[in-house]
Amino acid sequence: MMRNTNTKLAVIVALLLTLSGCTAINPGVNDFTPSAARSPGERAVDREKQGGPPTLDDLFARIAEQVPGFGGMFIDKDGNLAVYMVHLQPNAAAAVQNAIARVFGQDERFQRPIVLLPGKYDFLQLKRWHDRLMPEALGLDGVVSTDIDDAHNRLRIGVETLAVQREIELQLDKVGIPREAVVIEQTEPVRYESSLQDFHRPLVGGLQINFGNYVCTLGFLGVRQGVQGFVTNSHCTNTQGGVEGTVYHQPVASGTTNRVGLEIADPTYFSGSPCPRNRRCRYSDSAFVQVPHPNGPSVTVGQGSLVLTALGSLAWNGTDVYRIVGEADPLVGETVRKVGRTTGTTEGIVEQTCVNFNVLGTRITQLCQADGSYNSNSGDSGSPVLRVTNSPQANDVVLVGIHWGSGGVFSPIGTNNIQRATELGPVNTCADGFSC
Amino acid sequence: MSRYLFSLVGLWGILLVTGCFHDNKNTAPGVLTVTLDVPSEARAGKTILFQLKVQNTGQGLLSVTLGGRPPYDFVVTTQDGAEVWRWSYGQAIQEILEIKTLKPGEHLVYTVEWDQQSNSRQPVGPGEYMVRGLLNVDPPHKVETEAKLLRILP
């Protein structure tokens, strides 16, 4: 978790600085000598000459060069600085403290009580082994990570399955590392964490889309009058009501590279009965977008697929999806979910159906809408609203509508709303093998 | 609420300190300034205008994310903080995001009328009230103005 948070922070800071032009990339310095015969500490200096900062392992190696027998250190659960020493000599703590001050300066993290632990391996030895083993081990399929485990005075190798253990042991033999110096453990493979706001293909419901200076959410894929496309909100077009050929990108515009669609249906708002006086009305906040854009790259689509994330999460592995196997208008009391680019997957109860909503700051009235208690925020406009049925398979859902307004307001999917003849008309939204 | 404001101010502070909020041609930063204009007093029953001004008071371009359509709101409370009226109360706001670029000095002005009715559509009556303006920016952040005193006279 900490690694994740620190990594994100570092990426954000780096991004801010890079975007702003605040950083200058220092060209590499090429006057270093080959490092194969050098100590780990000396190689740390080489690494700095190459323009890269020394790693924590490099700095620990420098301490080990000054304090023979130093085996690594970590902060223990009581907040002490726990230091492994191969030989527990009387002056070891003072020697380590002095070496730390020389290597790290007055770093507050190390200014705490020292607890000496009996170690088996000198850090220089561990580092030499690790430097030798790492290229071989990470070259094996199924190996996730290699590390000098500071908290256990051992090397640690993470593997997806223990099936690869025998191959690792052969490598250990080959490079002369004792088996007992290495912990091999099963661990989850590391994947880049992406979100609904990132580039994804095929297109599926719930992803971020962009048009002009605006950001919304792709509702759901569908086929309308034989044309493949997707549904999003009418207010997520250049002009709400009426077709202006709004061009969409996923996740954001980048020339024509991320161009995915062209607005081709967005009925105009009408006045007159049953629309209130001085208002303009529709029965849904929906528009249909042709995919791909006629002047854009080819785009793959996940017909009948909606992003599946954990509740409250934006993170998405790019593969888990809900499968749309039917459509149904909402009923009060039903539990529904919405999946949007800002607040991810959220869940709530349908509280009202067939409610007429005036849209704040406009003369628009949306007739016969539904209202749920799920959380949402700006950018979630266009989100699919669904009901999980887990039938006939796990993660099968019924499509309920499309979200558009604060407080969980959405347009139902049925023939009184989105698929009404004067709205978008029939749209096939189901996954292959199902009809709806 | 203040947490969000501090977050935003903090981020802004970082950007200003590093001089990083600019376009490629102009190294000066953009600065977001949100101000509220409210009359200090009004007669009971009269319609009152509230105005929120969103301005780039910096020397460079300012890119600001506006959350929702409309992206602003106004809140009237009693002196002890109890909400009396909120412009968006019970209303549906379209949940779209807009990325707006403001040139130096460029501003947006949002104006609403308050008819001195409470959220439950009752006249609020004479007294002292506090008015605040809100600008929804990158969700879930909001910029909230300082509260201004409004006296409703008999």
Side-chain angles (χ1 to χ4, degrees), chain A residues 247-422:
Chain A
V247 178
Y248 293 88
H249 308 264
Q250 198 286 318
V252 293
S254 175
T256 58
T257 306
N258 294 342
R259 183 180 284 182
V260 294
L262 176 70
E263 173 202 11
I264 60 169
D266 182 11
T268 53
Y269 282 71
F270 65 91
S271 56
S273 181
C275 192
R277 191 161 49 88
N278 297 325
R279 308 289 300 182
R280 295 185 303 122
C281 295
R282 267 186 58 180
Y283 288 90
S284 76
D285 186 344
S286 64
F288 190 81
V289 177
Q290 176 184 339
V291 176
H293 189 287
N295 300 318
S298 62
V299 178
T300 54
V301 298
Q303 172 71 23
S305 296
L306 306 174
V307 165
L308 194 166
T309 74
L311 276 177
S313 175
L314 281 182
W316 186 46
N317 62 12
T319 55
D320 291 349
V321 290
Y322 291 114
R323 182 174 70 162
I324 301 172
V325 298
E327 297 170 346
D329 281 341
L331 290 174
V332 171
E334 283 180 332
T335 298
V336 293
R337 292 181 176 188
K338 77 116 237 326
V339 188
R341 60 79 61 196
T342 301
T343 58
T345 306
T346 56
E347 186 175 88
I349 305 293
V350 177
E351 296 177 326
Q352 299 181 91
T353 56
C354 209
V355 192
N356 302 318
F357 279 101
N358 287 339
V359 180
L360 186 62
T362 75
R363 293 177 60 194
I364 289 173
T365 299
Q366 297 287 172
L367 300 170
C368 205
Q369 305 295 290
D371 188 13
S373 62
Y374 58 78
N375 183 40
S376 63
N377 213 322
S378 304
D380 285 333
S381 276
S383 300
V385 180
L386 57 103
R387 180 162 51 84
V388 178
T389 59
N390 288 322
S391 175
Q393 291 180 11
N395 299 321
D396 282 350
V397 301
V398 166
L399 185 62
V400 175
I402 192 165
H403 169 83
W404 63 264
S406 58
V409 182
F410 63 97
S411 297
I413 186 67
T415 52
N416 283 323
N417 298 96
I418 293 174
Q419 297 186 83
R420 192 183 189 95
T422 54

Side-chain angles (χ1 to χ4, degrees), chain A residues 16 20 22 213-216 235 240 341-342 359-360 376-381 403-406, chain B residues 11 15 18-20 22 67-70 87-88 91-99 139-140:
Chain A
L16 280 171
S20 66
C22 289
N213 294 327
Y214 298 92
V215 173
C216 282
H235 80 259
Q240 184 170 6
R341 60 79 61 196
T342 301
V359 180
L360 186 62
S376 63
N377 213 322
S378 304
D380 285 333
S381 276
H403 169 83
W404 63 264
S406 58
Chain B
L11 177 60
L15 296 171
T18 57
C20 295
H22 59 75
R69 185 188 286 159
W87 182 57
S88 65
Q91 305 271 348
I93 296 167
Q94 295 173 338
E95 293 200 311
I96 189 171
L97 273 181
E98 179 179 9
I99 294 99

Side-chain angles (χ1 to χ4, degrees), chain A residues 129 132-140 143 157 164-179 182 184:
Chain A
W129 284 339
R132 230 181 288 160
L133 175 66
M134 188 263 283
E136 305 292 336
L138 287 178
L140 297 172
V143 173
I157 300 176
V164 73
Q165 180 169 334
R166 184 62 197 142
E167 287 183 75
I168 292 171
E169 288 170 345
L170 289 173
Q171 291 293 339
L172 295 177
D173 274 350
K174 188 176 157 187
V175 296
I177 301 173
R179 177 64 183 83
V182 181
I184 301 173

Side-chain angles (χ1 to χ4, degrees), chain A residues 32 42 59 153 202 233 250 262 269 290 320 370 373 424 430:
Chain A
F32 61 91
E42 287 170 329
L59 297 176
N153 191 229
N233 285 147
Q250 198 286 318
L262 176 70
Y269 282 71
Q290 176 184 339
D320 291 349
S373 62
L424 296 184
C430 278

Side-chain angles (χ1 to χ4, degrees), chain A residues 88-168:
Chain A
L88 289 176
Q89 295 163 339
N91 297 329
V96 167
Q97 265 180 326
N98 290 336
I100 288 172
R102 282 192 289 273
V103 172
F104 287 97
Q106 296 305 309
D107 189 327
E108 288 181 357
R109 292 175 299 173
F110 301 112
Q111 291 172 6
R112 59 180 75 225
I114 290 180
V115 175
L116 295 178
L117 303 173
K120 188 165 184 184
Y121 304 103
D122 183 292
F123 194 86
L124 289 174
Q125 181 66 72
L126 289 172
K127 183 145 181 20
R128 284 192 199 99
W129 284 339
H130 181 258
D131 289 350
R132 230 181 288 160
L133 175 66
M134 188 263 283
E136 305 292 336
L138 287 178
L140 297 172
D141 288 341
V143 173
V144 175
S145 61
T146 65
D147 179 37
I148 301 172
D149 185 346
D150 301 318
H152 296 91
N153 191 229
R154 295 285 189 282
L155 300 185
R156 184 173 294 272
I157 300 176
V159 295
E160 284 185 55
T161 68
L162 291 175
V164 73
Q165 180 169 334
R166 184 62 197 142
E167 287 183 75
I168 292 171

